[in-house]
Amino acid sequence: MQCTWLFRLCLLTLTWLSGEVRAQEPLAAEAGNLLSYIAVDYGEAVQEGEVRDPFLYRQQRRNLERALGLVRQLPDKPGRAALENSILELDAAIAAKRDAEGVRRRANAAADRLAALYQLQRSPAEVLPAASAAAPLYARRCAACHGGRGEGGAGGPALRDSQRMANFSLYDLYNTLDPAADSVHGSDIDGDLTSHQRWALAVTVAHLAAAAYEPPPVELARRYPALIGLPGMATTRPVELPGDAAAALMWWRGNPQQVRALEHPLTRAGGLLQLAETSYRAGDSAAAYHQLMLAFRQGYRPVREQLAGRDAPLATQLAGRWQSLRGAILGDAPSTEVIAAFQQLRTALAQAQARLEPAAESGRVTLWAWLLFAAAAALGLLLWLGLRRRRLD
């Protein structure tokens, strides 16, 4: 009983310590949201060096001014000056009416730098729900402006426009549904939505845009494993990927329930561990602990016995790494010690996945098969040459 109360006291303390940091998140999230809108809409405002939509162009300039003002309200830290410079360079590019591709890249790079610098949590810790989970909610809240099937209307843009939607990450879509970060979807529309509902709606919107794509082959999931799980599925913008990966991500993120079986459990553990480290670096130790334990239960525990049977010393080492990191977070250890524990656990997880990866086994089988084939071919060639000599003699 005493241990239980001590555990709860530790969590309450960690939650209290992270409160001040959480208060800064809306400013950073709103700035990132404005930069995302610039990346997506600038190409509609400026084409071939000329302003085609004066209203939208002025809105772009206002969005950038607002984003810069928000960044300057955030706590100063190493890297903020470079972030401000990148936003000022973006402003100069827009003022000079530069090409849309260059502006898009600059805006997204600034948004990503902002998220990294202020450790924004851009992915849910829980698995993404199916698109059908928020279909009724979409019908009530979104269809009037965006159309029942995302075809668009007078009140909002089309959500089935795959070319436009490829510019958004799932997190970008989530952010537009947060009234603290987005003035378009204000509190009167989305103010009562939970975080889970916003992620569910983001998946529903992604599903509408995914209708233009076929389910990608399983081979692509093996080639791009970071895109079939979190946080990669939530934070990556398809427009920034090669063609096959972009098309695959468009479908995967709109149908996450059909992708889960393709993700290796230790990949899931690694993604959650990355989220936990992001939370810890942002000062949210309570969230970091929660995500760490999810990584253990959902990612490592399902393969623990398999790993112990294949490499018992590595399994023992990995168990120690989990315990060390857990104790460091709950024990309020120095941040350098906690970050080092994160890195050590990440390294051990990578070793475990390599040890369990069936592709490695199949690769060895393939290599042996090729060696045997080559040996058989060489032997056949020698026999043929011997028979040919006999005939010539």
Side-chain angles (χ1 to χ4, degrees):
M1 180 66 70
Q2 184 179 4
C3 292
T4 301
W5 279 108
L6 286 174
F7 172 71
R8 290 178 178 174
L9 180 61
C10 285
L11 284 184
L12 286 172
T13 303
L14 293 175
T15 303
W16 175 77
L17 289 172
S18 67
E20 184 178 352
V21 176
R22 284 181 175 176
Q24 302 163 3
E25 288 183 5
L27 297 178
E30 183 182 354
N33 189 52
L34 292 168
L35 291 168
S36 174
Y37 275 136
I38 291 170
V40 174
D41 293 331
Y42 176 81
E44 298 294 323
V46 177
Q47 296 176 13
E48 298 178 353
E50 296 183 2
V51 176
R52 301 297 177 89
D53 188 331
F55 174 80
L56 186 57
Y57 181 72
R58 289 194 297 270
Q59 184 65 45
Q60 301 276 295
R61 303 300 300 272
R62 287 194 294 268
N63 284 350
L64 192 59
E65 183 180 0
R66 170 68 177 163
L68 183 60
L70 290 168
V71 167
R72 286 173 173 166
Q73 293 179 49
L74 291 168
D76 194 11
K77 59 171 61 179
R80 198 185 76 172
L83 173 61
E84 288 188 31
N85 286 337
S86 67
I87 296 176
L88 290 172
E89 290 171 359
L90 174 62
D91 183 47
I94 294 175
K97 305 175 186 64
R98 299 279 176 82
D99 66 287
E101 178 65 15
V103 168
R104 179 189 67 76
R105 290 183 180 277
R106 286 178 182 273
N108 282 336
D112 290 341
R113 177 178 288 180
L114 170 66
L117 185 61
Y118 290 96
Q119 298 296 315
L120 292 181
Q121 192 68 272
R122 297 192 292 168
S123 175
E126 306 292 343
V127 296
L128 291 167
S132 58
L137 186 59
Y138 175 88
R140 293 196 304 272
R141 299 290 183 92
C142 313
C145 291
H146 296 285
R149 297 183 178 180
E151 65 273 16
L159 302 177
R160 298 187 67 177
D161 183 350
S162 57
Q163 185 174 358
R164 183 173 189 272
M165 299 307 293
N167 288 278
F168 291 101
S169 68
L170 268 185
Y171 170 75
D172 292 334
L173 297 175
Y174 170 91
N175 225 13
T176 64
L177 299 168
D178 185 352
D182 190 284
S183 59
V184 176
H185 296 86
S187 57
D188 56 331
I189 299 176
D190 297 323
D192 62 339
L193 294 179
T194 65
S195 178
H196 178 78
Q197 287 174 317
R198 291 189 181 107
W199 281 114
L201 273 173
V203 172
T204 300
V205 170
H207 183 76
L208 294 172
Y213 297 89
E214 295 291 331
V218 175
E219 187 273 333
L220 283 181
R222 291 193 291 266
R223 194 189 307 172
Y224 305 109
L227 299 179
I228 60 173
L230 298 172
M233 187 185 288
T235 60
T236 308
R237 302 178 186 93
V239 71
E240 297 169 352
L241 299 173
D244 59 348
L249 179 58
M250 289 291 288
W251 192 88
W252 286 333
R253 69 183 191 173
N255 301 276
Q257 77 285 358
Q258 299 186 43
V259 184
R260 290 175 199 146
L262 301 176
E263 185 183 22
H264 193 286
L266 290 184
T267 301
R268 168 72 173 152
L272 285 166
L273 192 63
Q274 182 178 335
L275 295 179
E277 185 173 347
T278 299
S279 295
Y280 180 81
R281 288 178 181 272
D284 195 345
S285 297
Y289 182 82
H290 171 67
Q291 290 152 358
L292 173 68
M293 297 314 296
L294 278 180
F296 179 84
R297 291 194 298 269
Q298 297 181 6
Y300 176 61
R301 193 156 61 186
V303 299
R304 181 170 52 184
E305 292 185 5
Q306 183 184 359
L307 179 63
R310 184 165 296 184
D311 192 332
L314 179 57
T316 301
Q317 179 194 43
L318 195 49
R321 298 296 188 201
W322 286 109
Q323 191 61 32
S324 296
L325 180 53
R326 178 179 178 273
I329 293 176
L330 287 179
D332 198 23
S335 60
T336 54
E337 181 180 324
V338 177
I339 296 301
F342 267 113
Q343 299 303 325
Q344 291 165 357
L345 178 54
R346 191 190 309 279
T347 300
L349 274 177
Q351 293 172 344
Q353 185 163 353
R355 195 73 180 88
L356 295 176
E357 186 58 57
E361 293 293 332
S362 63
R364 283 195 288 270
V365 171
T366 302
L367 175 62
W368 278 109
W370 275 106
L371 290 174
L372 290 172
F373 175 79
L379 179 60
L381 178 61
L382 290 174
L383 290 174
W384 179 80
L385 289 174
L387 290 173
R388 190 167 182 268
R389 280 181 186 169
R390 285 186 182 180
R391 289 178 181 174
L392 291 175
D393 292 343

